[in-house]
C-alpha cells in the first residue's frame, strides 16, 4: 500500500476516558500489527509535514479549530476606529502642525485669543475625514451583515435518539485526548468515527437552515441555481430536478426539491422526498454543474465543475464515511490538490464486527486493512482537483442541485486570501504641496525669529523672548492653511463626479479618488493587447490543412466537404444507425477518377480537421430562457474555443450535447446525430502548457444498435495549442512554421491541431500510470505532465492550423495617435506571439508609418544582447519589438542599460510576457524615470501591472471585471482613455494647482498683514484679527469663490483634442512649481504690505477702525484676485462671488465686537478701502496683462485671444 492512502486514513479511535486510561496503562494497541502500522505512519507523517495538510471528516465535528465563516470587510472595530483614524490623520504634516498649535493654547502664557479659533478649524477637518471613514465602514459592515445572514440548507446526520454531536462526544473529552496525544509526541489528528449502525441503518439525514456565518468546516450544504457559494467547498454530488418527477412525490425515482420554510428547523429524510438518493442509473444524476466566477477572478465565462465519481454514487448516509485531505489555505484560485477517501463500512455481509476489549464495537481504525475476524476490506480513494471545487463568492449557474462539503471558511477562503487591503495612493501633486508646506513652515520660524531678533531678544513686561517667539509662531500659523487639504479633497471629489457623469465616457468609474490630478501628468502608457487594443471578439478567419488554405468565400467549399464527409444516405437502411468516426471512408461525388481521388484526399483532410476542432475543446452548449424563448449558447473559459466551435457549426457540424462522459455532434444539414464519443480524459489548457487535449472513444453505431461494436470503438487523442509548443509534439513537416508565420503577419491568432490513434492496450497503460500520478501528494502536476508527454505527446499527426481574428477596438488608431502626439510614450505588453504583436502594432498605428522596428527574439547570449543595445543607441527613433525570453535576459544581466535606453524609444512592444514581467517592467520604468506611468488592461493577467502603476486603468471587457475592479479608474473601451487623460486629467491637474496656490496665497497675505502689525506694535505678539475674523476669513468670506476655481477651464474639449501638444506641457509641472510658488509669495508680500501698511497710515496703528478698513480691503482683494485668475466664467463662479460679497457686508452689522460700526457707515471708510484695494490690485493685474501680452501661454495661442 502506498504512503498516501495511509496518510489520508489515519484516525485515532473513539473511546471513553476509562478505555483511554486502560490503553495508556497497557502502553500499546491490542493488535501488534496495528501498532507497527501506526508507528510507520507516524514517520511518514513527520516526513510529509503534518501541518501542510488538513483532514476533514464529512458531516462531523472537526478536531482542529478553524476560523468562523463570517465575512468581515470592515477596516475598524469600535475600539480601533478613533486610534487608527487619528493616527492616519496626524501622520500628515499639516494636521500635526495645527494640533501642536491648538495644544499650545492650553498654556496661558501662549494663549492668543479664544481657544475655539484654533480648535474649530482643526475639529472641522477631522470631523469631515472621520465622518467619511465612519460612514464607509458602516456601509461595509451592513453589506457584511447581509452576506452573513444569508441562510443555507445543511444536511445533519443523526442516529436514532442521538445527534451527530452526541455521537462524537463532547469537546472537553476531545481536548483531553488531544493533550494526551501531544504528551506522547504523536502527530495524530483526533477525528472520531461514526458508529457502524449509523453508517448503515441507524442514521437519518435531516435538513436544517443555517446562517452563512454559522457554517463550519465539514458541514454538507445543499445549493441550487443562482445561489452564492458561502465558503470554499468540495463538490460531493449533483443531480438534476425534473418537474414531472417532482410532482410525483416520494414514488419518483428522481429527487424532487421541496421548498423549505425558513422557520422549519429540520426535515427528516423519511418524511422528505427531497432527500431520496437517486441510484447510479437514475437519469437525474449528472455529476456536474456550472459556476460563475466573475466575483472571484473576473472571468465572465461559466466554469464546469464535477463531483468525484467516488462520491457521486453514494447515498447521503454514506457521506459519514468520507474523509477529505486538503492542503493548507492558499490564495491560488486556479489550483487545488486533495484526496477524497471512502472508509470501509463497519459491517461485512450484514454481520457486525467482533467486539474488542479496548474500544466500542461500532468503531474501527481505518488504517487497518482487515477486520477483526480476518476478512479483507478495501478502502477507496480518488484525487481531487480544481474541477471538483467551488470557491466562496462564486455562484451556481446551472439548475442541478449540488451537495458539497466545506473545506475552508472565513479568512482562509481563496477569496479572502486573494483580497489585498484597500490601496491608498498618493498623487504627485500631494508630494509637491507637501514640499511647499515645509518651506512655509521654515518661513514661519524665520519670521518669528526675525521679529524677536529685531526686538533684541529682550524681556519686556515679564515676557521672555522665547515665549514671544512661540506666540509669533502661533500668530503666523495661518501661513500653513489647515483647510488646504479640505479644499483639495473636495476638489478631487468634484473631479471624480465630472468623470463619472461624462456622457462621452459612459460607464467610467473612479475607484481611487485621491489621484485624478495624476491623469494629467502621465508620460508612459503601458497597454495590454488582447481585449484592450483589440475587442476580444474572436472569429475564425482562416484554416490551413497542409496542402490548401481556406478563408473568406472559400469557406463554402469547406461546408461542401463537410456535407459530403458527414452525410449518410437516408434510404440506406443498413447504415441508418451508423455514426461517423475518423476511420469512416470518405466518398467524393465527382465522376472522373483523378478528380475524385484529389477531392477525396482533400475532403478527407478537411473532414478530419473539422471533426478534431468540433471535439477538442472544453465548450459546453447551454440553453437559457430569455423573454419566453429558448436561446442556445456556448460556454467556455476561452473565447477562442467558442469561436472555433461556432465555426464548425457554420460549416455543418454542430455540438448539441456535452457532459463529463461524452459529447454528441449533429449534422446541420440533416439534423441527424452523426458523431457520438465517450470522453475518457481531458487535459485543460494552462498558461504554462499553452495547449489542451482530450482522449475520446468513438461509437460506430448508435448505442441501441450494436453495443459490442461500441465497446470496441476507436480511441483517439486530440490536442491543439500554440505553435511554439506543438511544433515539437507533431510529426516532422515542412509547412507548419511558414504557415503560422503567414497567419501571424495577418494579425491572426494561430492554433495547431493534431491527433494520435491509441490502441486499447496503449490507453490502458497510459490510464494506469496517469491515475497513479494523479493521487500523488507531491509533485502531482509534474508527474501527470510527464506521463502525458511519454505516452501521448509524441509524433502526433498534424491535421491543420487555424487563424482566429481579434478585431481592433473602436477608434484605437486615432486614440493612439493622439496620445503619441501628446508626448506619451506607449508600450504594448502582451502574451501573444511576436508576429501577431507586430501586425497589431502596425494596424493600430502604434508604430508610425515607415518607422523602423528592431526585433529581438529568442536571445540567449550576452554578447548578442550587448550588440543589440549598441545598435539601439544609434537608432533611438526606432520601435523595439522584444519577446519575453529576451526581455528576461536583459532584465537579469543588463537591467540598467536596457531600461535607460528603452525609455528613450518612442514605442516598445514586448510579447510573450508573463504577468509578473509586465509588473516588473512597470516598476522599472517608474523607479528609473521618476515619471508618472499609466497601465491599462482588461484581464486578470493585467492586474499585477495595473496595481504596480501610478495610475491603473481597467477596461470592462470579455475577460471579465477583475482588471476593472483592481484599477484606479474603470472604463469600457480604450478610446475613452484619451478623454480621461487629455481632458479630465488636464482639468484636474490645472484646477488643483490653481486652487492650492490660492489657498496658500490666502494664508500668506494675512500673515504678512500680521507681520506689519507686529512691527508697528513694537514687536508685541498680539493678534491683528481675532476669533471670528480669522475663522470667517478662511471659511464663509473667501472659501466659496476660491473653491469655485475647480470649475475653471483654460480651453474647451475640442481644442484639447485638436492640440494634444497642450498635454505635453502639463508633464513639466509648470502649473505648480517652485517658480510659481515664489511668484505667489512675492504677490502676497506686496499685497499684504500695501493693505496693512496703508491701513495703518490712513487710519491708525491700532484700534477697531484700522481693523475694519484692513479686513474689508483684505476680503475685497482676495475676491478680486479670484476674478482675475478665472479663464472661463461659470454661473456658479458668478453666484459665489456676488453671494460672498453680499454675505460679508450683510454680516458687518454683527461685527461690533471687532469693528467701529459708526465709522464703517461713513464715506471715509469707503474711500480708504477703495484706495487701498486699488493700490494692492492694480499693479499686480497690470504686470499680469503685460506678461501675458509679451509671452502668451499656449492655451491663449490656440484660443486666439
Amino acid at each position: 500500500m502506498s504512503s498516501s492512502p495511509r496518510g489520508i486514513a489515519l484516525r485515532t479511535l473513539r473511546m471513553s476516558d476509562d478505555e483511554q486510561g486502560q490503553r495508556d496503562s497497557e502502553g500499546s494497541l491490542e493488535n501488534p500489527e496495528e501498532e507497527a502500522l501506526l508507528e510507520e505512519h507516524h514517520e511518514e507523517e513527520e516526513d510529509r509535514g503534518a501541518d501542510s495538510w488538513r483532514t476533514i471528516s464529512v458531516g462531523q465535528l472537526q478536531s482542529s479549530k478553524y476560523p468562523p465563516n463570517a465575512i468581515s470587510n470592515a477596516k475598524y472595530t469600535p475600539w480601533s476606529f478613533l486610534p487608527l483614524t487619528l493616527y492616519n490623520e496626524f501622520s500628515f504634516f499639516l494636521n500635526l502642525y495645527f494640533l501642536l498649535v491648538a495644544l499650545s493654547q492650553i498654556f496661558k502664557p501662549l494663549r492668543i485669543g479664544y481657544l475655539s479659533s484654533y480648535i474649530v478649524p482643526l475639529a472641522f477637518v477631522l470631523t469631515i475625514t472621520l465622518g467619511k471613514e465612519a460612514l464607509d465602514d458602516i456601509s461595509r459592515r451592513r453589506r457584511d451583515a447581509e452576506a452573513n445572514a444569508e441562510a443555507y440548507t445543511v444536511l445533519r446526520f443523526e442516529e436514532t435518539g442521538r445527534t451527530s454531536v452526541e455521537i462524537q462526544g463532547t469537546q472537553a473529552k476531545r481536548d483531553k485526548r488531544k493533550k494526551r496525544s501531544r504528551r506522547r509526541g504523536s502527530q495524530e489528528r483526533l477525528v472520531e468515527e461514526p458508529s457502524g449502525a449509523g453508517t448503515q441503518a441507524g442514521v437519518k439525514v435531516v435538513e436544517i437552515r443555517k446562517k452563512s456565518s454559522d457554517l463550519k468546516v465539514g458541514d454538507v450544504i445543499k445549493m441550487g441555481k443562482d445561489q452564492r457559494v458561502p465558503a470554499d467547498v468540495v463538490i460531493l454530488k449533483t443531480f438534476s430536478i425534473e418537474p414531472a418527477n417532482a410532482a410525483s412525490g416520494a414514488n419518483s425515482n428522481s429527487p424532487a426539491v421541496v421548498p423549505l420554510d425558513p422557520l422549519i428547523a429540520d426535515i427528516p429524510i423519511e418524511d422528505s422526498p427531497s432527500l431520496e438518493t437517486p441510484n447510479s442509473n437514475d437519469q437525474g444524476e449528472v455529476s456536474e454543474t456550472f459556476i460563475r466566477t466573475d466575483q472571484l477572478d473576473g472571468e465572465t465565462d461559466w466554469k464546469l465543475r464535477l463531483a468525484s465519481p467516488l462520491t457521486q454514487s453514494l447515498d447521503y448516509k454514506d457521506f459519514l464515511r468520507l474523509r477529505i485531505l486538503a492542503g493548507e489555505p492558499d490564495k491560488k484560485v486556479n489550483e487545488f490538490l486533495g484526496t477524497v477517501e471512502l472508509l470501509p463500512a463497519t459491517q461485512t455481509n450484514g454481520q457486525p464486527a467482533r467486539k474488542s476489549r479496548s474500544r466500542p464495537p461500532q468503531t474501527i481504525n481505518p488504517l487497518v486493512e482487515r477486520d477483526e475476524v480476518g476478512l479483507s476490506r478495501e478502502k477507496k480513494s480518488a484525487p481531487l482537483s480544481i474541477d471538483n471545487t467551488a470557491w466562496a463568492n462564486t455562484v451556481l449557474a446551472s439548475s442541478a442541485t449540488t451537495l458539497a462539503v466545506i473545506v475552508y471558511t472565513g479568512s482562509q477562503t481563496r477569496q479572502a486570501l486573494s483580497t489585498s487591503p484597500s490601496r491608498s495612493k498618493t498623487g504627485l501633486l500631494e508630494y509637491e504641496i507637501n514640499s511647499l508646506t515645509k518651506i512655509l513652515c521654515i518661513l514661519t520660524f524665520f519670521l518669528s525669529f526675525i521679529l524677536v531678533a529685531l526686538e533684541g531678544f529682550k524681556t519686556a513686561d515679564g515676557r521672555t523672548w522665547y515665549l514671544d517667539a512661540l506666540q509669533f509662531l502661533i500668530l503666523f500659523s495661518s501661513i500653513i492653511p489647515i483647510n488646504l487639504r479640505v479644499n483639495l479633497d473636495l476638489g478631487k471629489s468634484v473631479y471624480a463626479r465630472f468623470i463619472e457623469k461624462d456622457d462621452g465616457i459612459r460607464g467610467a468609474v473612479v475607484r481611487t479618488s485621491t489621484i485624478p490630478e495624476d491623469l494629467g501628468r502621465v508620460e508612459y502608457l503601458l497597454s495590454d493587447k488582447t481585449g484592450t487594443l483589440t475587442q476580444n471578439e474572436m472569429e475564425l478567419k482562416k484554416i490551413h490543412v497542409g496542402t490548401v488554405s481556406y478563408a473568406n468565400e472559400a469557406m463554402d467549399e469547406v461546408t461542401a466537404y463537410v456535407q459530403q464527409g458527414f452525410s449518410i444516405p437516408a434510404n440506406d437502411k443498413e447504415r441508418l444507425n451508423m455514426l461517423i468516426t475518423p476511420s469512416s471512408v470518405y466518398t467524393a461525388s465527382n465522376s472522373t477518377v483523378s478528380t475524385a481521388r484529389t477531392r477525396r484526399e482533400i475532403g478527407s483532410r478537411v473532414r478530419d480537421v473539422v471533426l478534431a476542432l468540433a471535439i477538442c475543446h472544453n465548450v459546453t452548449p447551454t440553453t437559457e430562457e430569455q423573454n419566453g424563448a429558448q436561446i442556445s449558447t456556448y460556454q467556455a473559459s476561452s473565447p477562442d474555443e467558442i469561436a472555433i466551435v461556432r465555426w464548425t457549426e457554420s460549416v455543418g457540424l454542430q455540438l448539441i450535447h456535452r457532459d463529463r462522459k461524452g459529447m454528441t455532434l449533429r449534422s446541420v444539414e440533416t439534423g441527424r446525430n452523426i458523431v457520438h464519443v465517450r470522453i475518457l480524459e481531458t487535459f485543460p489548457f494552462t498558461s504554462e502548457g499553452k495547449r489542451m487535449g482530450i482522449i475520446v472513444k468513438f461509437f460506430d453505431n448508435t448505442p441501441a444498435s450494436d453495443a459490442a461494436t461500441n465497446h470496441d470503438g476507436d480511441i483517439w487523442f486530440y490536442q491543439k495549442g500554440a505553435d511554439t509548443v506543438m511544433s515539437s509534439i507533431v510529426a516532422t513537416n515542412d509547412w507548419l512554421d511558414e504557415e503560422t508565420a503567414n497567419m501571424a503577419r495577418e494579425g491572426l491568432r494561430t492554433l495547431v491541431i493534431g491527433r494520435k490513434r491509441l490502441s486499447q492496450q496503449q490507453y490502458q497503460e497510459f490510464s494506469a500510470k496517469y491515475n497513479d500520478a494523479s493521487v500523488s501528494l507531491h509533485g502531482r502536476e509534474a508527474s501527470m505532465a510527464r506521463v502525458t508527454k511519454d505516452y501521448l505527446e509524441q509524433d502526433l499527426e498534424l491535421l491543420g492550423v487555424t487563424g482566429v481574428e481579434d478585431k481592433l477596438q473602436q477608434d484605437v488608431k486615432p486614440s493612439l495617435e493622439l496620445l503619441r502626439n501628446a508626448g506619451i510614450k506607449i508600450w504594448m505588453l502582451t502574451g501573444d506571439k511576436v508576429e501577431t504583436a507586430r501586425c497589431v502594432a502596425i494596424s493600430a498605428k502604434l508604430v508610425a508609418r515607415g518607422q523602423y522596428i528592431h526585433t529581438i527574439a529568442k536571445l540567449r547570449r550576452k554578447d548578442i544582447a550587448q550588440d543589440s543595445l549598441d545598435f539601439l543607441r544609434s537608432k533611438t527613433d526606432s520601435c523595439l519589438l522584444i519577446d519575453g525570453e529576451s526581455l528576461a535576459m536583459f532584465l537579469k544581466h543588463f537591467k540598467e542599460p536596457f531600461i535607460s535606453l528603452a525609455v528613450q524609444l518612442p514605442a516598445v512592444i514586448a510579447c510573450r510576457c508573463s504577468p509578473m514581467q509586465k509588473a516588473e517592467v512597470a516598476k522599472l520604468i517608474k523607479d528609473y524615470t521618476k515619471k508618472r506611468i499609466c497601465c491599462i488592461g482588461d484581464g486578470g493577467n493585467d492586474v499585477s501591472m495595473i496595481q504596480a502603476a501610478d495610475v491603473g486603468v481597467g477596461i470592462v471587457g470579455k475577460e471579465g471585471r477583475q482588471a476593472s475592479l483592481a484599477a484606479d479608474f474603470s472604463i469600457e473601451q480604450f478610446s475613452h482613455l484619451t478623454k480621461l487623460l487629455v481632458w479630465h486629467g488636464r482639468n484636474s491637474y490645472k484646477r488643483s494647482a490653481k486652487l492650492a496656490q490660492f489657498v496658500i496665497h490666502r494664508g500668506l497675505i494675512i500673515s504678512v498683514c500680521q507681520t506689519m502689525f507686529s512691527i508697528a506694535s513694537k514687536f508685541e505678539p498680539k493678534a491683528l484679527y481675532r476669533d471670528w475674523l480669522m475663522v470667517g476669513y478662511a471659511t464663509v468670506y473667501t472659501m466659496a469663490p476660491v473653491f469655485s476655481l475647480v470649475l475653471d477651464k483654460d480651453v474647451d474639449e475640442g481644442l484639447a483634442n485638436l492640440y494634444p501638444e497642450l498635454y505635453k506641457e502639463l508633464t513639466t509641472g509648470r502649473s505648480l512649481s517652485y517658480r510659481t510658488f515664489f511668484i505667489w509669495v512675492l504677490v502676497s508680500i506686496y499685497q499684504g504690505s500695501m493693505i496693512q501698511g496703508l491701513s495703518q497710515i490712513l487710519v491708525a496703528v491700532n484700534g477697531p477702525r484700522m481693523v475694519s478698513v484692513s479686513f474689508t480691503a483684505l476680503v475685497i482683494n482676495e475676491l478680486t484676485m479670484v476674478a482675475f485668475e478665472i479663464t472661463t466664467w461659470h454661473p456658479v463662479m458668478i453666484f459665489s462671488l456676488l453671494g460672498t460679497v453680499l454675505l460679508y457686508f450683510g454680516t458687518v452689522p454683527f461685527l461690533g465686537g471687532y469693528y467701529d460700526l459708526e465709522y464703517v457707515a461713513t464715506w471715509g471708510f469707503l474711500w480708504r478701502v477703495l484706495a487701498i484695494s486699488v493700490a494692492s490690485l492694480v499693479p499686480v493685474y497690470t504686470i499680469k496683462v503685460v506678461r501675458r501680452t509679451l509671452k502668451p501661454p499656449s492655451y491663449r495661442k490656440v484660443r486666439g485671444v
Side-chain angles (χ1 to χ4, degrees), residues 962-1016:
Q962 190 174 6
S964 166
L965 295 173
D968 304 308
F969 301 89
S970 171
I971 56 179
E972 293 190 344
Q973 60 187 56
F974 183 86
S975 60
H976 291 174
L977 182 65
T978 57
K979 189 170 189 178
L980 194 65
L981 298 181
V982 175
W983 177 240
H984 289 289
R986 174 184 182 81
N987 288 339
S988 299
Y989 170 60
K990 298 214 40 112
R991 290 165 174 172
S992 285
K994 187 177 289 187
L995 178 62
Q997 290 175 136
F998 252 93
V999 174
I1000 292 173
H1001 164 72
R1002 187 173 61 189
L1004 271 172
I1005 192 172
I1006 199 172
S1007 297
V1008 172
C1009 292
Q1010 177 65 53
T1011 303
M1012 297 292 294
F1013 177 73
S1014 297
I1015 294 173

Side-chain angles (χ1 to χ4, degrees), residues 814 816-824 1059-1064:
L816 287 175
E817 185 177 3
L818 188 148
L819 293 173
R820 190 166 50 249
N821 293 334
I824 299 175
Y1059 299 99
E1061 294 80 4
L1062 292 172
Y1063 185 88
K1064 191 183 300 184

Side-chain angles (χ1 to χ4, degrees), residues 360-518:
Q362 296 88 355
T363 60
I364 65 165
N365 182 350
L367 192 61
V368 182
E369 298 270 347
R370 55 188 183 84
D371 64 7
E372 302 289 327
V373 294
L375 296 176
S376 63
R377 298 180 305 186
E378 294 184 357
K379 185 174 350 87
K380 300 179 180 179
S381 63
L384 295 174
S385 68
I386 186 67
D387 294 332
N388 308 116
T389 64
W391 301 141
N393 279 346
T394 58
V395 178
L396 294 182
S398 57
S399 58
T401 299
T402 301
L403 300 177
V405 60
I406 296 176
V407 291
Y408 304 109
T409 53
S411 59
Q412 295 183 345
T413 61
R414 293 297 202 272
Q415 193 266 349
L417 293 173
S418 301
T419 302
S420 57
S422 299
R423 297 180 300 124
S424 179
K425 287 189 177 182
T426 304
L428 182 59
L429 187 73
E430 296 280 352
Y431 291 116
E432 293 170 344
I433 290 175
N434 192 53
S435 299
L436 297 181
T437 55
K438 291 176 181 178
I439 296 176
L440 293 175
C441 183
I442 295 173
L443 180 61
T444 303
F445 279 93
F446 178 74
L447 278 176
S448 302
F449 178 80
I450 290 296
L451 291 178
V452 174
L454 291 175
E455 193 180 7
F457 298 103
K458 296 178 181 179
T459 300
D461 299 331
R463 302 189 325 271
T464 58
W465 66 270
Y466 54 83
L467 284 178
D468 286 351
L470 290 176
Q471 286 184 323
F472 278 128
L473 281 174
I474 296 168
L475 286 173
F476 296 144
S477 62
S478 59
I479 290 180
I480 305 175
I482 189 173
N483 55 6
L484 176 59
R485 277 197 62 223
V486 175
N487 281 272
L488 290 177
D489 288 346
L490 291 176
K492 295 174 192 294
S493 300
V494 172
Y495 309 148
R497 183 169 179 82
F498 285 160
I499 292 173
E500 293 181 342
K501 296 297 181 182
D502 191 336
D503 292 335
I505 49 175
R506 289 185 180 274
V509 179
V510 179
R511 303 192 190 280
T512 305
S513 61
T514 57
I515 57 171
E517 299 91 355
D518 276 7

